Amino acid sequence: MFSFLDMVNHYLGYFNINVTVKSRIYTILGFLGNIYLFYISFRFLQNKYYSKGLLLLAVSLILLYFLICNFFYYFTKKQPWFDISPKLARMLHLQPHEKEIQANSKMGNTILQEPYNRKNNAANGIFDEQHVLPAKLAISPAEQLNLNRLVAQMERQQLFRADYNGMSDRKVYELLKINGGKPIYAIGKGVMLPYFEMKRQGESLIVYAGMNQAETYPVGSIKRVGLQSIRSVDLSDLRLYLASVELFGGPYKEIGRAGVLEHPQDYTLRASVAYKKQA
């Protein structure tokens, strides 16, 4: 039975499966393996091998307890009141104590949580902050493919690293606790695109991006500027300029039941638009 479970674990390693899905598979397989252990323990007891039977039965009950906790967490996203795994993790120093969190927070480990400052990102010029508004983008499936291709190019050129700033899971856990459990992304708070521009096509404002001006493709369309829909903006009275376009999202980590879990997610864009009234 254990050879079978080891073989399943080996072959699952060949596939890029969501961490939660993989954990659910392991939980189901764990229940099957536990049923086998219960069967063996009862067979020992029937044959009057009481010491071996009782030992296996005790192990089976302990494993069943943790399997039930895993079932609650991975299938219902709830932590049962009888789950002691967080306490065990703290006892075994698998999670930092409060004093360690406070000490490490003073050593520069909060770099991923620093607020974004546009004044330090002048990839498309410097605009007056009083005339810059956040813009909401809509990304179609075809534009998502274009964005994914640009992300791959940026990674090959080492324009960013999706490695959580080189931090271990322990350091990531510290930041998650300090930041109230908000997810931490592998690329941090955002990465400015190498080149971007905005083109008007009919009534739409399309964002083009690429590694340079010679190689651009559509990656999204602006649907809202500030609190106003782009359809209600009088473009004959205002001139809009694309002030910034950032890449954000992607893989992220969050606090799990007894540690840190990583989840996959598509990269997306965050943009800001500068405006100027027509003379």
Side-chain angles (χ1 to χ4, degrees):
M1 183 65 187
F2 291 106
S3 298
F4 171 74
L5 293 175
D6 182 67
M7 180 183 66
V8 171
N9 179 58
H10 176 74
Y11 282 109
L12 283 177
Y14 289 111
F15 302 96
N16 184 20
I17 302 176
N18 183 291
V19 176
T20 302
V21 174
K22 189 179 292 186
S23 299
R24 289 177 177 176
I25 295 173
Y26 289 150
T27 301
I28 294 172
L29 292 177
F31 274 111
L32 296 177
N34 209 40
I35 291 173
Y36 178 74
L37 283 179
F38 273 112
Y39 169 76
I40 295 296
S41 63
F42 284 122
R43 291 292 295 174
F44 273 123
L45 292 173
Q46 286 179 347
N47 289 284
K48 300 183 179 180
Y49 292 99
Y50 296 113
S51 59
K52 293 182 179 180
L54 291 174
L55 180 61
L56 276 178
L57 183 60
V59 171
S60 301
L61 290 173
I62 293 172
L63 291 177
L64 179 62
Y65 165 78
F66 285 107
L67 284 169
I68 292 174
C69 292
N70 281 348
F71 178 83
F72 269 94
Y73 181 77
Y74 292 116
F75 287 87
T76 68
K77 289 296 181 182
K78 296 180 180 179
Q79 184 172 343
W81 62 268
F82 51 81
D83 185 7
I84 63 170
S85 54
K87 295 180 181 179
L88 289 176
R90 286 194 294 269
M91 290 173 58
L92 297 173
H93 301 286
L94 298 178
Q95 295 176 354
H97 294 290
E98 190 65 29
K99 291 182 179 179
E100 293 175 332
I101 293 173
Q102 293 174 357
N104 285 312
S105 67
K106 299 177 181 178
M107 298 173 60
N109 293 330
T110 57
I111 184 170
L112 295 183
Q113 303 303 317
E114 291 177 355
Y116 168 69
N117 186 351
R118 285 195 190 90
K119 293 182 180 179
N120 296 328
N121 296 274
N124 210 29
I126 299 176
F127 295 91
D128 185 352
E129 287 290 307
Q130 295 182 351
H131 295 87
V132 174
L133 294 171
K136 183 178 180 180
L137 274 69
I139 302 176
S140 68
E143 290 167 339
Q144 185 67 55
L145 291 176
N146 291 335
L147 180 58
N148 294 342
R149 179 171 57 175
L150 177 57
V151 169
Q153 291 176 310
M154 292 173 65
E155 285 189 287
R156 284 196 298 268
Q157 295 294 325
Q158 298 182 347
L159 297 183
F160 73 88
R161 293 184 304 173
D163 63 350
Y164 300 92
N165 199 38
M167 294 188 300
S168 64
D169 281 351
R170 181 184 178 88
K171 297 296 184 183
V172 171
Y173 179 83
E174 293 171 8
L175 286 181
L176 287 168
K177 292 288 287 185
I178 294 171
N179 203 38
K182 294 181 181 179
I184 290 180
Y185 291 90
I187 64 171
K189 297 294 287 183
V191 178
M192 191 72 73
L193 297 186
Y195 179 83
F196 50 86
E197 60 182 339
M198 182 172 62
K199 298 180 180 180
R200 184 173 180 178
Q201 297 179 359
E203 298 298 322
S204 301
L205 295 177
I206 309 299
V207 175
Y208 283 74
M211 293 298 294
N212 49 58
Q213 190 176 9
E215 183 185 4
T216 62
Y217 21 83
V219 293
S221 58
I222 295 179
K223 295 299 182 182
R224 186 176 294 275
V225 175
L227 300 176
Q228 196 169 3
S229 170
I230 194 65
R231 292 184 178 181
S232 61
V233 175
D234 186 1
L235 296 179
S236 63
D237 185 49
L238 288 177
R239 295 192 66 178
L240 300 181
Y241 305 91
L242 198 55
S244 68
V245 180
E246 283 185 296
L247 178 72
F248 79 104
Y252 66 94
K253 289 183 178 181
E254 63 180 359
I255 295 178
R257 183 163 58 86
V260 174
L261 291 178
E262 183 175 36
H263 301 280
Q265 182 178 267
D266 283 334
Y267 287 97
T268 187
L269 296 174
R270 175 172 50 218
S272 61
V273 172
Y275 64 91
K276 182 179 180 181
K277 290 187 177 182
Q278 294 275 23

